[in-house]
Structure formats: C-alpha cells, structure tokens
Amino acid sequence: MATWGHLGFQDSASPLMEQLIFFHDHTMVVLILITTFVGYMMAAMFPNAFVNRFLLENQTIEVIWTILPAIILIFIALPSLRLLYLLDEVNNPSITLKTIGHQWYWSYEYSDFLQVEFDSYMTPSNEMDLSGFRLLDVDNRTVLPMNTQVRMLVTAADVIHSWTVPALGVKADAIPGRLNQISFMVNRPGLFFGQCSEICGANHSFMPIVVESVSVSAFLNWISSSSDL
C-alpha cells in the first residue's frame, strides 16, 4: 500500500501491473533523454556569441527535427498499444466476481457459488484496532485465490463509481445500467487496498476496497464456510 512520501508505484501484485511499471520506466527514460538534450542545447546557446548565416534557412535541420520526434513517438506508441491490448484481453477465467457500487459501499457476488454475496463497508475509526488502517480497512474483505485468472464484472446501483486497486493495475468504472468487465490475476498472497476513484457524493472518500489474496485451498475453505452462513 502507499505510504507517506512514496513517489513511485506500489509494488505490483499482478502481471498486468508489472507491464504497466515497465512501460512507465520506458517512457521516463525517453523523457529524461529528451529533457537532457534540450536543456543542454539551450544552455549551450545562451552564452554562444557566434552567428551562423545559414541557421534561418537550413533545410537539413528542419527535416531532422521533424522526423526525429516522429520516430520517438513510435517508440512510445508501439509498447503502449501492446499494453492496451494486454489489459483488454480476457483469458479463460477460473472464477467470476461481480461487484456493485452503492452510495457508499461495495457489494460482492461470487457467481460460481451458491449464495455467496456480501456488502463491504469501511470500518469506522472507533471500531478499529491498532493494527487496522484508517479509512482503508473494511468489515468484509474480498477474498480471491492467487495465481488464478479472475473475471471481474463491475456495475453500480445509483451513481458512477470506480473500482480501483493500484497494486493489481485494475481500474474499472461502475456505471448504473452497464456491466463492465476486467480480467486480472494476483500472483502473490497479501492484502491489497484500493478506493473508489470516481467522485460519487458526500462519502466518496469512505468506500474503500480490500482484496485478500490467499492460496486456492484457503479460498475454498473460506467459500465453504461462507456458503454455510
């Protein structure tokens, strides 16, 4: 999860987030190279007292500074398009989870199992123990098996919400009357925190998301105990 003074991404917990971080680093390298080159050129020009009589009508340099940015944009666009298609790809899912955004809590339905559905509210500060995270913990966590392809169906019951977990590289708008679909896989166990990322009213800041990644056997035990309830 993010902490104070943390300027980078959260540690990735899914292959998609790893690819997003790689693309970010790739783009930052290109930007740093461009900024350094332009800065050097400007610093070299300011104290320069020489005059070049061909500078105002040099065809060659105009061709270069037109073609070079186009080539740089291609180096950014191709990995970006590849990543966009990867993010949209839905592999054969092993489990389907439906989430419904409400003002101001989330509802979850495990469609592959009978009668496994619950609401997830933020834990109030006065009911939280010392190990909890203020404004981020919930009373019912979303339990998912790790190393398993998950299909997420996202919608809303009232206004537009957005189901977002940064460590998983997942963000999907929850829109009333529309069913959005995303696919992801959690590749390590742990707790992953998120929040609604679409302003949805007075308590927009108080509808967090907690995904708990566990082993497949622990998930099946949890499902069976939830079904009994």
Side-chain angles (χ1 to χ4, degrees):
M1 62 179 289
T3 55
W4 293 110
H6 188 222
L7 300 179
F9 290 109
Q10 297 181 26
D11 293 338
S12 70
S14 73
L16 292 178
M17 189 59 193
E18 286 180 10
Q19 293 296 318
L20 283 166
I21 292 173
F22 290 154
F23 175 68
H24 170 266
D25 295 345
H26 166 75
T27 309
M28 286 302 295
V29 168
V30 174
L31 290 176
I32 289 169
L33 288 174
I34 293 172
T35 307
T36 305
F37 176 72
V38 173
Y40 170 76
M41 294 295 291
M42 291 178 66
M45 285 169 59
F46 281 130
N48 194 344
F50 296 111
V51 176
N52 186 335
R53 64 194 179 96
F54 298 111
L55 189 61
L56 297 178
E57 48 186 51
N58 195 325
Q59 300 291 322
T60 308
I61 190 65
E62 289 189 2
V63 171
I64 291 172
W65 71 39
T66 302
I67 293 177
L68 197 59
I71 295 173
I72 293 171
L73 286 175
I74 289 172
F75 271 95
I76 295 175
L78 292 180
S80 174
L81 287 170
R82 169 185 167 272
L83 188 53
L84 280 172
Y85 279 102
L86 275 177
L87 291 170
D88 248 359
E89 188 72 26
V90 178
N91 301 311
N92 295 326
S94 301
I95 182 172
T96 299
L97 175 63
K98 182 180 180 182
T99 179
I100 305 168
H102 303 267
Q103 287 182 311
W104 288 273
Y105 64 96
W106 296 97
S107 296
Y108 296 97
E109 300 174 6
Y110 289 78
S111 309
D112 303 302
F113 306 94
L114 293 175
Q115 297 178 343
V116 182
E117 53 187 61
F118 54 86
D119 297 332
S120 180
Y121 289 85
M122 184 190 76
T123 306
S125 299
N126 58 351
E127 298 178 10
M128 188 178 295
D129 54 24
L130 293 176
S131 62
F133 295 103
R134 179 177 171 271
L135 302 184
L136 286 176
D137 259 324
V138 296
D139 55 357
N140 291 311
R141 294 169 175 168
T142 308
V143 182
L144 290 174
M146 66 178 187
N147 295 325
T148 303
Q149 198 69 38
V150 179
R151 173 173 55 193
M152 193 89 181
L153 302 177
V154 186
T155 187
D158 35 47
V159 299
I160 298 177
H161 302 274
S162 185
W163 198 86
T164 306
V165 182
L168 302 180
V170 169
K171 179 174 182 176
D173 282 347
I175 302 172
R178 182 186 177 96
L179 202 62
N180 285 333
Q181 176 177 276
I182 49 176
S183 179
F184 63 91
M185 181 177 72
V186 190
N187 57 14
R188 61 187 174 93
L191 290 179
F192 307 107
F193 296 88
Q195 289 177 300
C196 176
S197 297
E198 189 73 48
I199 295 176
C200 55
N203 292 331
H204 159 67
S205 304
F206 309 117
M207 48 182 301
I209 300 155
V210 181
V211 174
E212 182 177 357
S213 174
V214 298
S215 65
V216 175
S217 57
F219 172 76
L220 292 175
N221 290 335
W222 176 81
I223 279 289
S224 60
S225 62
S226 300
S227 301
D228 295 339
L229 296 175

